Amino acid sequence: MHTRTVFTGGRVFDGVTTAQADVAIHGDRIVDVGIGLDGDEAVDCTGAFIVPGLFDCHVHIMASDFDVARSEQEPFSLPYYEAVRNLSLLLDQGITSARDAAGADAGVKRAIAKNLIEGPRLQTAIVMLSQTGGHGDLHLPSGGSRSMAMMMPHPGRPRSVRDGVDDVRRGVREILRAGADAIKVATTGGVMSTGDDPRHAHFRDDELAVIAEEVAAAGTYFFAHAQGTEGIKAALRHGARSIEHGYHLDDEAIDLLLRTGAWLVPTLSATQAIVDAADRGVPIPAESQALAREAVGAHRASFARAVDAGVKVAMGTDSPPYGHPSDSNLDELLLMTQASAMTPADAWRAATANSAALLRQDDLGALAPGKIADLVVVNGEVDDLRGLRGRIRSVILGGRRVR
């Protein structure tokens, strides 16, 4: 028999402002929000505020740091055990829902659902579609290829590199068959993939059209790793639900985001994390370091223009911050406010209601009767976004206190 638990004495963030209120939960649902609520148990939230469970819409739980050379020397199965730790670290930060943007397969998601391991509610893309010579093609000048664990094909993870309409169509179908919730496609090169250029557009219109056709038939969507301008616009013209990164947005790209209603997941943490890791001595290729340092300014300027125009923003980080204790996914909230006109309330909304809408999670993202009881109790003031990782007091996942 479930007890009625009341979180009392704190302030509740309603998506716009905070106000003194209690939150009552029963089983896995929020049943009331208001003043003076009673229940079987009380949780004192004095000196704290309560927000809905947080989202990170762009994680890679099978990656633990940026040291690709190290990961190439590790046993194949090790990233799965590292993922157990990484999922736990997400919960530590109040992230109760996440979208893995390549790496985690159906078995990881199933293990969470069966309570074999603990972790956020997880949506998966399994692998990222890439053209030959694209962001997911780990070909080396020597003729060999990198064996980056989160991209390596195996029975639960179809091959990433696809070319031509028929191969791309088959790729989408194979990835969906493997259990993906959505399809991720690289419509540009990337910073961390040597040999390609983030500014170049990848996949042609007929290839992108078949991706859009297949996801529509399956009742799902595709989202795009897109850093350069032309690749961003190509993805949007073919119905991408979200643009990940968006380093180089021009007026037309911003207009397409607005007209299509697509989301921007800026991942400001990503370029900064690469620069920080390189400064700590992580052996990141010189080409990638240079691209990341060059991209930081353009990335923030593009994001600021998108915010000013009213583009919808959801929270995602892309970076695997698990390898260094000073890093936190929640730093993204502060970065968004520093780089644009977003307020702290806007940042919290990006990490809650907006992200829930992007991932089609209607039962999450708000503190309201009937919603799933995912909530986070955070010490301090809601407008203070500094040091959030160390200020998490409690994390409730589906009505269960997991932290």
Side-chain angles (χ1 to χ4, degrees):
M1 182 176 178
H2 296 300
T3 59
R4 176 181 163 106
T5 302
V6 177
F7 294 80
T8 183
R11 287 149 294 145
V12 171
F13 175 70
D14 65 1
V16 180
T17 60
T18 53
Q20 199 76 27
D22 303 334
V23 179
I25 66 174
H26 184 260
D28 68 348
R29 296 282 167 169
I30 298 170
V31 293
D32 204 355
V33 179
I35 299 294
L37 303 182
D38 59 1
D40 304 304
E41 295 180 354
V43 177
D44 184 9
C45 299
T46 302
F49 59 93
I50 306 169
V51 295
L54 303 175
F55 285 72
D56 190 328
C57 296
H58 195 128
V59 299
H60 293 288
I61 62 166
M62 299 287 285
S64 290
D65 56 40
F66 295 105
D67 190 346
V68 177
R70 176 202 62 78
S71 68
E72 289 177 334
Q73 302 302 314
E74 301 286 9
F76 169 80
S77 60
L78 183 63
Y80 285 89
Y81 295 95
E82 291 180 328
V84 174
R85 177 204 58 193
N86 297 343
L87 288 162
S88 180
L89 288 172
L90 290 175
L91 282 182
D92 287 348
Q93 300 175 75
I95 295 169
T96 57
S97 298
R99 180 176 63 179
D100 187 90
D105 58 20
V108 176
K109 183 176 177 179
R110 185 72 61 85
I112 297 172
K114 295 182 71 172
N115 294 317
L116 299 176
I117 60 176
E118 64 172 7
R121 306 173 191 280
L122 194 65
Q123 293 187 10
T124 62
I126 297 183
V127 75
M128 175 181 64
L129 286 175
S130 170
Q131 69 172 45
T132 293
H135 187 43
D137 185 0
L138 305 178
H139 185 80
L140 295 172
S142 65
S145 63
R146 286 198 177 278
S147 55
M148 196 171 180
M150 73 177 189
M151 297 294 286
M152 186 187 303
H154 65 64
R157 187 191 297 137
R159 62 183 171 88
S160 170
V161 178
R162 306 282 176 158
D163 295 288
V165 168
D166 290 342
D167 196 26
V168 168
R169 187 189 301 275
R170 183 177 183 87
V172 174
R173 291 177 178 178
E174 288 180 351
I175 294 166
L176 292 173
R177 180 181 65 183
D181 297 292
I183 296 296
K184 182 185 180 185
V185 54
T187 60
T188 71
V191 168
M192 285 297 290
S193 50
T194 57
D196 59 66
D197 192 319
R199 293 161 294 196
H200 292 170
H202 289 175
F203 286 120
R204 303 287 71 83
D205 283 343
D206 56 351
E207 295 167 313
L208 293 174
V210 81
I211 293 171
E213 182 182 355
E214 290 299 319
V215 297
T220 185
Y221 66 91
F222 80 93
F223 62 109
H225 160 101
Q227 297 176 355
T229 309
E230 294 309 313
I232 293 168
K233 293 188 287 191
L236 290 169
R237 285 194 295 267
H238 288 90
R241 185 164 176 83
S242 66
I243 295 297
E244 315 291 304
H245 316 308
Y247 291 0
H248 301 285
L249 296 168
D250 66 5
D251 290 343
E252 184 183 5
I254 290 173
D255 183 61
L256 279 167
L257 281 161
L258 293 170
R259 286 197 288 112
T260 63
W263 298 83
L264 177 63
V265 182
T267 69
L268 297 170
S269 300
T271 43
Q272 191 61 55
I274 295 168
V275 170
D276 291 346
D279 289 344
R280 292 198 297 262
V282 175
I284 294 172
E287 177 185 339
S288 295
Q289 289 190 44
L291 286 169
R293 294 181 193 279
E294 177 187 353
V296 168
H299 191 185
R300 295 186 180 189
S302 285
F303 176 63
R305 292 179 58 229
V307 169
D308 288 344
V311 169
K312 296 188 299 186
V313 176
M315 201 280 259
T317 59
D318 189 32
S319 57
Y322 320 110
H324 196 270
S326 68
D327 293 334
S328 170
N329 298 62
L330 302 185
D331 292 344
E332 181 75 13
L333 278 70
L334 181 60
L335 287 173
M336 286 192 290
T337 62
Q338 291 175 335
S340 75
M342 284 182 74
T343 65
D346 294 331
W348 286 112
R349 192 161 48 252
T352 53
N354 286 9
S355 291
L358 166 59
L359 299 189
R360 299 175 171 173
Q361 297 294 295
D362 294 339
D363 282 345
L364 297 168
L367 299 178
K371 298 287 188 180
I372 292 175
D374 284 9
L375 52 96
V376 185
V377 182
V378 188
N379 288 327
E381 299 297 327
V382 71
D383 288 339
D384 183 5
L385 299 177
R386 296 169 297 178
L388 288 173
R389 183 171 184 167
R391 291 164 50 199
I392 304 298
R393 184 187 295 188
S394 297
V395 180
I396 310 302
L397 176 67
R400 296 182 298 110
R401 185 170 181 169
V402 293
R403 291 292 182 276

